[in-house]
Amino acid sequence: MTSSDSAQKAPAKDPWDLPDVSGLVVGVLGGTGPQGKGLAYRLARAGQKVIIGSRAADRAQAAAAELGHGVEGADNAETARRSDIVIVAVPWEGHGKTLESLRADLAGKLVVDCVNPLGFDKKGAYALKPEEGSAAEQAAALLPDSRVTAAFHHLSAVLLQDPAIEEIDTDVMVLGEERADVEIVQALAGRIAGMRGVFAGRLRNAHQVEALVANLISVNRRYKAHAGLRVTDV
């Protein structure tokens, strides 16, 4: 390589140079459940425009009124249509059916799947392995016209919903196929005080991220905690 070639080579992009997402509308499917409600609250509290969705619009509107901070409520289809980014926080049991029914409404949207396929028995929580490999890969298979990412798996709903807690001390592992989409989700995570979004691979690596929640549940039960994760040396 000549010195002129070297001079013309663009510098490597700073991985922490993330886009401004403050003007994007965020929809939360399953926004009346603990995880979805907690995420909606934190994002709205950070100044994001948030719409929470439910199968029943009146239920979503009641939950939105509880949260305040300008949060709106609507049925899932309207929430999907009106949002730029849609977080999927529905129960695993209804994950596939819900997304299948919203395929047209979610076309062209950036979808963030945070669903953890888990089973429970007398020994505690354990990870399930969906046929597609993970909840995120199931979402990608069901939503061919959407840009599917995965994030927000390891958050305590109790901490998210507690107004007395100023910061959520955790990193968010973000997975996806397109760098630009992943960076939008990283930036969204970074809107929440104390939180940081970290790229953690492509969707084929989502299973172990989703599965780790079973381990965190065990940690929480033993230590009476609301454990999160931090990625060191990054």
Side-chain angles (χ1 to χ4, degrees):
M1 182 184 289
T2 67
S3 58
S4 62
D5 289 337
S6 179
Q8 290 170 4
K9 189 176 179 184
K13 185 179 184 296
D14 180 354
W16 296 112
D17 180 15
L18 301 173
D20 177 10
V21 297
S22 59
L24 299 180
V25 178
V26 179
V28 184
L29 305 182
T32 58
Q35 190 82 349
K37 203 172 180 183
L39 275 169
Y41 171 67
R42 286 290 158 180
L43 288 167
R45 182 169 158 172
Q48 208 76 34
K49 175 60 190 168
V50 178
I51 306 169
I52 59 174
S54 177
R55 283 175 297 180
D58 57 348
R59 192 173 168 214
Q61 288 158 2
E66 254 182 72
L67 293 177
H69 297 281
V71 177
E72 291 184 48
D75 64 37
N76 283 331
E78 184 184 338
T79 298
R81 288 194 298 269
R82 291 179 56 197
S83 303
D84 302 302
I85 304 173
V86 179
I87 297 173
V88 181
V90 300
W92 167 241
E93 295 72 23
H95 181 264
K97 190 175 177 184
T98 300
L99 295 185
E100 202 169 12
S101 71
L102 296 171
R103 182 178 295 171
D105 302 298
L106 290 169
K109 307 292 182 178
L110 176 54
V111 173
V112 187
D113 201 296
C114 69
V115 175
N116 303 305
L118 296 175
F120 295 86
D121 60 18
K122 62 183 179 182
K123 293 182 179 179
Y126 60 95
L128 302 175
K129 186 75 179 276
E131 189 180 333
E132 298 85 355
S134 62
E137 287 168 294
Q138 183 183 88
L142 291 171
L143 303 172
D145 300 318
S146 304
R147 295 136 54 210
V148 176
T149 60
F152 301 117
H153 301 90
H154 305 138
L155 307 180
S156 161
V158 172
L159 297 184
L160 288 174
Q161 293 185 80
D162 187 342
I165 293 174
E166 295 294 327
E167 296 191 356
I168 306 293
D169 180 24
T170 193
D171 284 334
V172 171
M173 300 180 83
V174 184
L175 303 98
E177 300 302 318
E178 299 295 334
R179 181 166 180 167
D181 293 338
V182 168
E183 289 182 347
I184 289 171
V185 181
Q186 285 182 265
L188 188 66
R191 296 273 290 158
I192 299 173
M195 213 176 272
R196 183 178 67 154
V198 179
F199 171 65
R202 293 178 179 267
L203 289 186
R204 68 181 183 179
N205 291 318
H207 170 67
Q208 57 265 36
V209 173
E210 296 168 2
L212 190 58
V213 173
N215 302 88
L216 287 176
I217 289 171
S218 297
V219 170
N220 290 337
R221 285 182 174 171
R222 174 64 61 90
Y223 298 102
K224 306 286 189 289
H226 301 291
L229 294 178
R230 280 291 186 199
V231 180
T232 62
D233 198 35
V234 176

